[in-house]
Amino acid sequence: MPRLSNSAINKYLSCPKSFDYHYNQKLRDPTKSAALLFGDAMDNALNALLKGKNVDPLDVFNQKWEVNKVQGDEYEDIPENLFVRYAESDFDKDLLQEEDLLYIKTKYMETGYTHENPMDLYKEILEVKKSLGYDQLTQDQIRIFNLMNWFSLKRKAAPMIEAYKKVVVPRIHKVHDVQKYIALENNEGDSVIGYIDMIVDVIMDDGQVVTAIADNKTSSIDYSRDSVVKSQQLTIYGLAENINYGAYFVLKKQIQKNKKKVCNKCGYDGIKKETNKLTTAKTCDIVLSDGKRCHGEWTETISPEARVDIIVDELRPRTKEIVSEVLE
């Protein structure tokens, strides 16, 4: 009897021919979305945290962000893997550390590039990508482009994990299961299989504690407030476990940097009194007692901070009926 995952069901419903190519004939795109690899590495890190393992979840993430096996495909040397595709929103130059930039520069100088500043090379590659298309990039350009995006996402992981500890963990009253395997059969003996991220007792906004099928998500966009009740996957898992609530814990990949500037000459903090915003001036623009601008150099720092959205809702009976009809 057939055993299908939720993603396989969705592929079949959207295009049976695509399902046939992918699952029966094994004709698959060799590329993999960086979002999928990043999300899986974060899942492993957060699972270790929820299971109470005596390990640093960031260490778990870093290990999986180097080499990982996702959906049966193993991806080695993820930092420079030619088959990993990144989105523009993955990159944030402000998060790259000096050691990252030094490593990147060493790597691209080995291939013959002589750019003094890695960002100049990145912009050059990005222009080619935008004007001619990704497929027109050379392998060296793809490796450098991927490496810089890989480092950016690597630096996003720490504030995301910290935000999860601060926002999500206090809302979890009890962890019942993590990565639980399920198989939901229909009357014909066909099975829908999958792994539930977690089954937890979660504290609602009003203080009520409910048992929920919960899923960790990493995203660059906001999830709608009704995303739980619309989720086929959460509904399938809820039916399998006879649980009536679902939850999404959404870690946002857009990092708030909390930039600060301090003038090395006069100590000005760079906050303009009239707007209460950080000045964009390249040198200190405070006017001193002699009526002249300071023009001192800035020391700039950032304190990266991630946002987490918690969406908990009751799985609607009508959604369960629709999913049940699909499974039949």
Side-chain angles (χ1 to χ4, degrees), residues 2-121:
R3 295 159 60 86
L4 302 174
S5 66
N6 178 68
S7 59
I9 292 173
N10 284 333
K11 186 175 285 291
Y12 180 82
L13 291 175
S14 63
C15 180
K17 196 64 178 176
S18 176
F19 174 91
D20 179 53
Y21 286 147
H22 187 87
Y23 289 99
N24 297 329
Q25 300 187 45
K26 308 298 182 183
L27 299 175
R28 303 177 180 180
D29 185 347
T31 62
K32 187 75 74 176
S33 163
L36 184 61
L37 294 170
F38 180 80
D40 190 78
M42 286 296 297
D43 271 346
N44 277 273
L46 299 177
N47 288 343
L49 176 65
L50 293 170
K51 288 178 180 178
K53 291 186 176 180
N54 189 27
V55 293
D56 184 344
L58 185 57
D59 289 342
V60 176
F61 168 84
N62 286 333
Q63 180 182 359
K64 291 295 182 181
W65 193 223
E66 292 272 357
V67 177
N68 204 353
K69 188 171 184 179
V70 180
Q71 296 180 344
D73 299 320
E74 185 161 345
Y75 284 79
E76 298 181 356
D77 190 23
I78 295 174
E80 297 178 56
N81 194 302
L82 294 172
F83 296 105
V84 178
R85 293 288 182 97
Y86 293 85
E88 283 192 33
S89 59
D90 291 336
F91 188 70
D92 190 331
K93 65 180 178 62
D94 292 329
L95 298 179
L96 299 182
Q97 299 181 5
E98 287 299 322
E99 63 191 78
D100 304 338
L101 295 171
L102 180 59
Y103 180 85
I104 291 165
K105 186 174 181 178
T106 301
K107 295 295 289 187
Y108 70 63
M109 291 188 75
E110 291 174 357
T111 65
Y113 288 104
T114 59
H115 297 66
E116 185 64 28
N117 188 338
M119 276 310 304
D120 291 337
L121 177 55

Side-chain angles (χ1 to χ4, degrees), residues 83-316:
F83 296 105
V84 178
R85 293 288 182 97
Y86 293 85
E88 283 192 33
S89 59
D90 291 336
F91 188 70
D92 190 331
K93 65 180 178 62
D94 292 329
L95 298 179
L96 299 182
Q97 299 181 5
E98 287 299 322
E99 63 191 78
D100 304 338
L101 295 171
L102 180 59
Y103 180 85
I104 291 165
K105 186 174 181 178
T106 301
K107 295 295 289 187
Y108 70 63
M109 291 188 75
E110 291 174 357
T111 65
Y113 288 104
T114 59
H115 297 66
E116 185 64 28
N117 188 338
M119 276 310 304
D120 291 337
L121 177 55
Y122 184 82
K123 291 175 183 177
E124 184 178 299
I125 296 172
L126 192 60
E127 281 302 313
V128 176
K129 178 176 176 288
K130 287 182 176 179
S131 60
L132 300 179
Y134 185 88
D135 293 335
Q136 297 304 309
L137 296 177
T138 67
Q139 288 193 355
D140 286 339
Q141 287 174 325
I142 292 173
R143 284 194 178 94
I144 298 305
F145 181 81
N146 284 6
L147 182 61
M148 294 187 74
N149 277 279
W150 180 87
F151 267 117
S152 176
L153 287 173
K154 176 184 173 73
R155 297 308 175 192
K156 291 184 181 187
M160 291 171 73
I161 291 172
E162 287 306 309
Y164 193 91
K165 290 179 182 178
K166 181 180 178 180
V167 177
V168 176
V169 171
R171 292 281 295 272
I172 296 177
H173 182 70
K174 181 178 180 180
V175 178
H176 293 283
D177 249 309
V178 176
Q179 287 296 305
K180 182 177 182 180
Y181 175 81
I182 64 102
L184 182 63
E185 290 190 2
N186 64 13
N187 294 331
E188 303 297 324
D190 304 328
S191 297
V192 177
I193 61 173
Y195 286 89
I196 300 173
D197 257 18
M198 63 190 119
I199 301 174
V200 295
D201 288 348
V202 59
I203 303 171
M204 304 275 279
D205 290 336
D206 62 2
Q208 179 187 5
V209 177
V210 299
T211 301
I213 301 290
D215 203 350
N216 294 319
K217 296 291 185 182
T218 58
S219 177
S220 296
I221 61 174
D222 290 332
Y223 271 44
S224 64
R225 301 314 300 177
D226 61 353
S227 57
V228 167
V229 298
K230 289 181 176 179
S231 171
Q232 174 179 287
Q233 185 176 44
L234 291 180
T235 302
I236 288 173
Y237 293 166
L239 286 169
E241 293 295 309
N242 195 28
I243 291 175
N244 295 322
Y245 282 84
Y248 280 137
F249 304 137
V250 187
L251 291 91
K252 304 305 292 293
K253 290 196 283 187
Q254 300 300 331
I255 303 298
Q256 181 177 332
K257 286 164 281 192
N258 301 314
K259 291 184 178 181
K260 292 184 179 179
K261 291 182 176 181
V262 176
C263 175
N264 294 335
K265 186 176 179 181
C266 70
Y268 172 47
D269 65 3
I271 301 296
K272 300 182 94 47
K273 293 181 179 180
E274 57 271 24
T275 62
N276 200 35
K277 292 182 179 180
L278 194 66
T279 179
T280 57
K282 292 184 178 180
T283 59
C284 181
D285 54 352
I286 196 76
V287 178
L288 302 175
S289 57
D290 60 3
K292 297 180 180 180
R293 279 186 57 170
C294 172
H295 286 299
E297 293 185 355
W298 301 112
T299 294
E300 298 187 41
T301 60
I302 62 171
S303 301
E305 186 177 9
R307 181 165 66 87
V308 182
D309 288 339
I310 297 177
I311 306 171
V312 186
D313 213 331
E314 188 172 5
L315 300 173
R316 301 290 191 263

Side-chain angles (χ1 to χ4, degrees), residues 312-324:
V312 186
D313 213 331
E314 188 172 5
L315 300 173
R316 301 290 191 263
R318 178 53 187 156
T319 309
K320 290 182 179 180
E321 291 174 10
I322 294 171
V323 170
S324 296

